Amino acid sequence: MDKVNILMVDDQPGKLLSYQSILEGLGENLLLANSGREALQCLLKDDVAVILLDVVMPEMDGFELATLIREHPRLEHTPIIFLTAYSTSDLDRLKGYELGAVDYVFAPVVPAILLSKVSVFVELHRKRQELRELNCTLEQRVTERTAELELALEALERDRADLYAMTEKLSLKMAELRQTQGWRNAVIGAALDAIVTIDHLGKIVEFNPAAERIFGFTHDQAYGQPMAEMIIPPALREQHSRGLAHYLATGEAPILGQRLELPVLRADGTQFSAELSVVRLGPTEPPLFTGFVRDITERKRAEAEIRQLNADLERRIQERTAELEAANRELEAFSYSVSHDLRAPLRHVSGFAELLQKRSAGTLDETCGKYLAAILQGVGEAGELIDHLLEFSRLSSTGLHAVDVSMQQVVAEVQSELASETPQRVIHWKIADLPQVLGDRTLLRLVLRNLLENAVKYTQRRDDAEIEIASRPRDDGGVDFSVRDNGAGFDMRYVDKLFGVFQRLHRHDEFEGIGIGLANVRRIVQRHGGRTWAEGEVDRGATFYFSLPRVPARQESTGVIE
Amino acid sequence: MTELRRILLVEDDPRDVELTLAALAENHLANEVVVVRDGQEALDYLRRQGVFKMRAEGNPAVVLLDLKLPKVDGQEVLAQIKGDAQLQVIPVVMLTSSRQERDLVASYRTGVNAYVVKPIDFSEFQRSVKELGLFWAVINESPLGTVPPSN
């Protein structure tokens, strides 16, 4: 237990000493003051349990000091025991009570009385102090508890805010869910396909308007009914229930997510072709299955129609092909017939006219001789026409024997052939490097023979005849060949007629020819997959072009193109 | 001097016959020319059957055979000749107005000895006949028995 302070105030040190000796036994702190001033200083510094105050002192007597003490709020209730040598008087007592004094001890002091009175105040002080401490503790506990409560309150506030936020979210979710549900219903309602959902027992739990339309049952008629009995044809029901049971037992269902084509039933018992796909609806247990069913009767019919049309088309193509083949055979027979039957009488005319010419030598007049010569010339030309016509028709019917052809070599051959046939001509030949191509050598030679022969023919009136043969690679991998001359040329207005059969742009007495060469050129080039064209200007020469498709880098084997 | 042997001309068109004979005459080929008018007659002649049963023995020096013939056509006659051990040695020259390759190929496959497209130009034809006649009827020795002129 802490010691308490006991202040003793007396101007006489001897008295102080005697009090001190009386109170020492209490074991408290004894503070001594020789004057009111010292006492006040001491009181301001220390907390004092009781003050022993000598009433009679110089400067400031005990009552004055007590008055000052009482004026200090902290000391207002501090007990004071006046020590006075005076005999009890009403005045003193009154003064003391008025001043709140607590007790008096008269001198000479009886040690036991002083001791007991001080003890009471010390005890009282202690009790007060304990009470104060207790109060203090209580106060602190209240503060702590308040703080705790405040914390708890804050936590509660936070929880409440969280709860509020959660509620907000939840209501949003609910709204979304309601919206999603709304969408789902709208989608299902507007779907063109029948949407039918069944539970694990096979009972219908959803039957959209399209399903009503397609199957002929109302939603209310269908709801809760076993689907198999409503829309699956009897022959397939067993399979359906087996499949469902198998899925429920094993989780395996080969049809889930597949596109199937099956016959299904309408309310009126009629059957139609449907395309359907079945999915498991979400992860619910027990599972729900949704089937999307489309009436494909119309599509089936269209498919059948297309098949029929295709078959018809195929048949018509075959018929047409057969017709064309027959026509082709007829044409060949015709050519054959022409070659024999038309040539024979011409030969006879020619033969007998010639015999006549021999036998009548000198007997016919000049006019008759001219007639005879005209007959022979006409017959000769007719024969030539027939020969070329036959050649032209043969070009269309024979297969191409495709090999690597050195165009350089072919040009060289044709050029030397023409040079030997026209020894009197002086022609300046300019032949560029020409590539190899894949084609029928005989036919390509015929192309060049025709083009070079033309060039030679139409430059016959030039003293400085020049023929240039060149080639140029095409973007598509093919090659363009060109044969240019500085001869008679032609009018571009008639360019379309150049490659026609028996089309000639020059009068016979200008240049000989029957007008079949370029038609043959075009036909041969076309059969090789290429094309022909020409540029020219009257008296400024002509350039004939032909293209051949893609040149093989190296083609060892030979083959037949057809 | 080598005896002139007969030439068998198989030709259905009388004008072609006349022209051929004229051409032969123009070339001063004096061989006797036996003319038959269709494939069957040609085979009868060669096999000495039918109306030719009584003819003298011996194969002609050369057969000038038209491709297009009534009854048995030229190709068939050629096939028969080349398939007959007695006749296959006789030189056969196809005379035809066709230039079509298939005729050529088909003819060579059955062993024709020469093939001539009768040119419309008579003088050309004459030249062909001259060359053929000289070669087959005069210069070339036939390994088998020859037929002397009947007159």
Side-chain angles (χ1 to χ4, degrees):
Chain A
M1 189 184 297
D2 290 342
K3 289 180 176 178
V4 301
N5 294 322
I6 299 168
L7 177 61
M8 294 171 296
V9 188
D10 201 312
D11 60 318
Q12 298 172 51
K15 283 190 183 172
L16 283 176
L17 198 59
S18 69
Y19 303 147
Q20 202 174 356
S21 64
I22 293 167
L23 298 175
E24 246 169 11
L26 290 172
E28 308 294 345
N29 282 332
L30 300 178
L31 307 176
L32 306 178
N34 286 313
S35 64
R37 181 178 300 273
E38 274 183 34
L40 287 172
Q41 281 172 350
C42 180
L43 283 169
L44 286 174
K45 209 162 80 218
D46 298 307
D47 186 35
V48 173
V50 61
I51 305 165
L52 295 186
L53 186 54
D54 184 18
V55 173
V56 183
M57 285 189 296
E59 291 178 32
M60 185 192 296
D61 70 11
F63 293 120
E64 284 171 342
L65 180 60
T67 306
L68 281 172
I69 288 169
R70 284 287 182 265
E71 281 173 2
H72 195 286
R74 182 163 66 80
L75 305 173
E76 204 177 356
H77 301 294
T78 306
I80 299 171
I81 296 172
F82 290 105
L83 299 165
T84 176
Y86 287 111
S87 61
T88 54
S89 71
D90 291 338
L91 181 69
D92 284 342
R93 198 176 291 140
L94 187 65
K95 273 188 176 175
Y97 282 117
E98 279 176 0
L99 290 169
V102 175
D103 213 345
Y104 296 83
V105 174
F106 298 104
V109 170
V110 179
I113 291 171
L114 180 63
L115 196 59
S116 81
K117 288 198 175 188
V118 168
S119 296
V120 169
F121 285 116
V122 165
E123 193 58 28
L124 187 66
H125 181 78
R126 273 224 163 80
K127 289 288 180 208
R128 276 200 185 133
Q129 208 163 22
E130 274 173 26
L131 199 66
R132 235 185 357 258
E133 276 168 13
L134 205 65
N135 264 336
C136 199
T137 309
L138 204 63
E139 188 70 24
Q140 197 182 346
R141 283 183 59 198
V142 167
T143 309
E144 281 172 13
R145 190 81 188 111
T146 307
E148 277 175 25
L149 281 173
E150 276 170 358
L151 280 173
L153 199 65
E154 272 174 35
L156 212 59
E157 277 295 325
R158 277 200 304 276
D159 284 354
R160 209 169 68 97
D162 286 353
L163 201 64
Y164 181 75
M166 275 165 70
T167 312
E168 281 280 279
K169 271 190 200 162
L170 204 63
S171 63
L172 271 174
K173 280 275 175 210
M174 289 290 283
E176 273 176 28
L177 208 61
R178 272 195 298 277
Q179 196 173 21
T180 308
Q181 186 67 31
W183 283 342
R184 181 177 178 274
N185 288 341
V187 168
I188 288 174
L192 294 175
D193 290 347
I195 299 177
V196 179
T197 302
I198 57 168
D199 62 14
H200 64 293
L201 301 173
K203 291 198 190 306
I204 294 174
V205 296
E206 185 170 57
F207 204 74
N208 76 338
E212 294 183 323
R213 199 171 57 242
I214 290 172
F215 293 107
F217 294 106
T218 65
H219 174 270
D220 293 346
Q221 284 172 329
Y223 193 86
Q225 297 300 312
M227 180 198 68
E229 286 170 32
M230 302 206 75
I231 62 172
I232 296 182
L236 296 174
R237 283 178 198 163
E238 166 65 18
Q239 198 184 334
H240 164 74
S241 59
R242 249 205 331 267
L244 185 58
H246 183 71
Y247 178 74
L248 293 172
T250 64
E252 290 170 12
I255 71 154
L256 283 186
Q258 299 291 316
R259 208 173 239 262
L260 308 166
E261 275 189 30
L262 288 173
V264 291
L265 282 179
R266 288 193 191 91
D268 62 9
T270 55
Q271 203 164 298
F272 65 95
S273 289
E275 182 180 59
L276 75 152
S277 68
V278 180
V279 294
R280 183 177 165 168
L281 199 62
T284 56
E285 283 298 344
L288 293 172
F289 305 94
T290 295
F292 300 84
V293 186
R294 183 174 299 178
D295 184 346
I296 55 168
T297 310
E298 186 56 25
R299 197 173 77 193
K300 282 277 184 197
R301 198 192 56 71
E303 280 172 6
E305 196 176 332
I306 287 170
R307 268 197 302 278
Q308 183 58 45
L309 284 174
N310 274 336
D312 286 353
L313 201 64
E314 189 65 28
R315 186 176 49 73
R316 283 171 58 191
I317 287 170
Q318 279 172 6
E319 283 172 8
R320 190 87 188 102
T321 309
E323 278 171 25
L324 286 174
E325 280 169 357
N328 221 20
R329 277 195 301 275
E330 272 172 31
L331 201 66
E332 274 179 47
F334 172 73
S335 311
Y336 193 84
S337 163
V338 164
S339 80
H340 287 85
D341 302 343
L342 193 56
R343 277 174 61 97
L346 278 174
R347 193 171 60 244
H348 299 151
V349 173
S350 159
F352 288 111
E354 207 166 315
L355 281 175
L356 184 61
Q357 200 175 34
K358 280 194 175 167
R359 294 266 174 126
S360 63
T363 63
L364 284 180
D365 62 25
E366 198 184 332
T367 310
C368 290
K370 264 196 208 164
Y371 290 166
L372 207 49
I375 291 171
L376 282 167
Q377 195 192 343
V379 169
E381 281 172 16
E384 203 183 336
L385 270 174
I386 290 169
D387 286 349
H388 282 90
L389 195 57
L390 283 174
E391 194 178 346
F392 183 70
S393 79
R394 201 173 68 240
L395 287 180
S396 344
S397 57
T398 53
L400 286 185
H401 186 62
V403 295
D404 267 0
V405 179
S406 161
M407 293 298 265
Q408 194 81 59
Q409 202 181 333
V410 172
V411 166
E413 283 172 20
V414 173
Q415 186 223 335
S416 75
E417 206 172 85
L418 288 169
S420 71
E421 286 170 22
T422 55
Q424 76 288 358
R425 294 285 307 279
V426 178
I427 296 168
H428 182 50
W429 293 87
K430 290 165 86 174
I431 302 172
D433 285 341
L434 303 174
Q436 288 222 330
V437 296
L438 183 67
D440 186 309
R441 195 177 200 281
T442 312
L443 295 182
L444 290 178
R445 195 176 193 284
L446 200 56
V447 167
L448 285 164
R449 166 81 202 191
N450 270 299
L451 293 179
L452 298 194
E453 198 177 337
N454 273 351
V456 169
K457 182 160 67 179
Y458 290 106
T459 52
Q460 66 194 5
R461 297 189 185 160
R462 290 267 184 274
D463 294 333
D464 55 346
E466 190 175 285
I467 298 172
E468 184 178 354
I469 299 116
S471 74
R472 200 176 45 158
R474 294 169 63 83
D475 290 344
D476 61 10
V479 197
D480 287 341
F481 291 93
S482 60
V483 176
R484 189 186 62 76
D485 66 59
N486 61 346
F490 61 89
D491 189 331
M492 280 301 274
R493 276 184 297 176
Y494 306 120
V495 70
D496 292 341
K497 293 194 165 187
L498 275 179
F499 293 95
V501 180
F502 298 129
Q503 296 282 355
R504 302 195 69 239
L505 298 186
H506 296 274
R507 289 205 321 277
H508 202 279
D509 55 1
E510 287 179 315
F511 297 100
E512 292 171 357
I514 54 167
I516 191 100
L518 288 177
N520 279 345
V521 166
R522 170 161 285 184
R523 187 160 282 212
I524 290 168
V525 169
Q526 281 176 347
R527 293 201 59 202
H528 279 81
R531 62 184 202 92
T532 50
W533 67 101
E535 290 165 3
E537 196 181 331
V538 174
D539 280 335
R540 301 291 293 271
T543 309
F544 287 85
Y545 298 91
F546 64 98
S547 66
L548 290 173
R550 200 167 180 74
V551 185
R554 187 75 202 104
Q555 185 82 19
E556 289 291 348
S557 59
T558 62
V560 172
I561 301 171
E562 188 62 41
Chain B
M1 179 183 169
T2 312
E3 262 189 297
L4 291 179
R5 284 156 292 171
R6 286 181 189 160
I7 293 170
L8 178 63
L9 175 60
V10 190
E11 174 64 80
D12 63 318
D13 188 323
R15 285 166 298 188
D16 271 328
V17 171
E18 195 168 347
L19 281 173
T20 307
L21 293 176
L24 292 172
E26 284 286 320
N27 287 293
H28 311 292
L29 289 172
N31 304 54
E32 184 191 356
V33 179
V34 177
V35 179
V36 292
R37 311 299 293 267
D38 63 49
Q40 190 55 55
E41 270 188 27
L43 291 172
D44 285 350
Y45 178 86
L46 291 170
R47 289 172 177 156
R48 296 175 66 228
Q49 59 191 25
V51 295
F52 296 103
K53 203 169 181 175
M54 304 307 290
R55 79 160 173 90
E57 276 183 47
N59 284 333
V62 65
V63 177
L64 301 180
L65 180 62
D66 188 26
L67 189 69
K68 295 270 276 186
L69 291 168
K71 297 180 186 171
V72 183
D73 79 1
Q75 295 279 359
E76 179 60 24
V77 172
L78 178 65
Q80 296 268 349
I81 291 171
K82 293 301 166 186
D84 187 318
Q86 296 297 311
L87 305 178
Q88 65 186 0
V89 292
I90 306 171
V92 177
V93 175
M94 286 299 237
L95 289 177
T96 178
S97 47
S98 168
R99 270 187 189 177
Q100 285 176 313
E101 276 185 343
R102 55 183 177 179
D103 294 337
L104 184 66
V105 171
S107 301
Y108 276 126
R109 214 160 36 213
T110 40
V112 75
N113 296 71
Y115 179 91
V116 172
V117 176
K118 288 183 274 188
I120 287 173
D121 185 337
F122 180 70
S123 44
E124 243 183 86
F125 177 59
Q126 217 176 331
R127 226 173 9 255
S128 300
V129 169
K130 179 178 173 181
E131 283 163 12
L132 284 170
L134 283 173
F135 185 73
W136 294 113
V138 181
I139 297 168
N140 209 27
E141 282 293 329
S142 180
L144 282 184
T146 58
V147 180
S150 59
N151 56 346

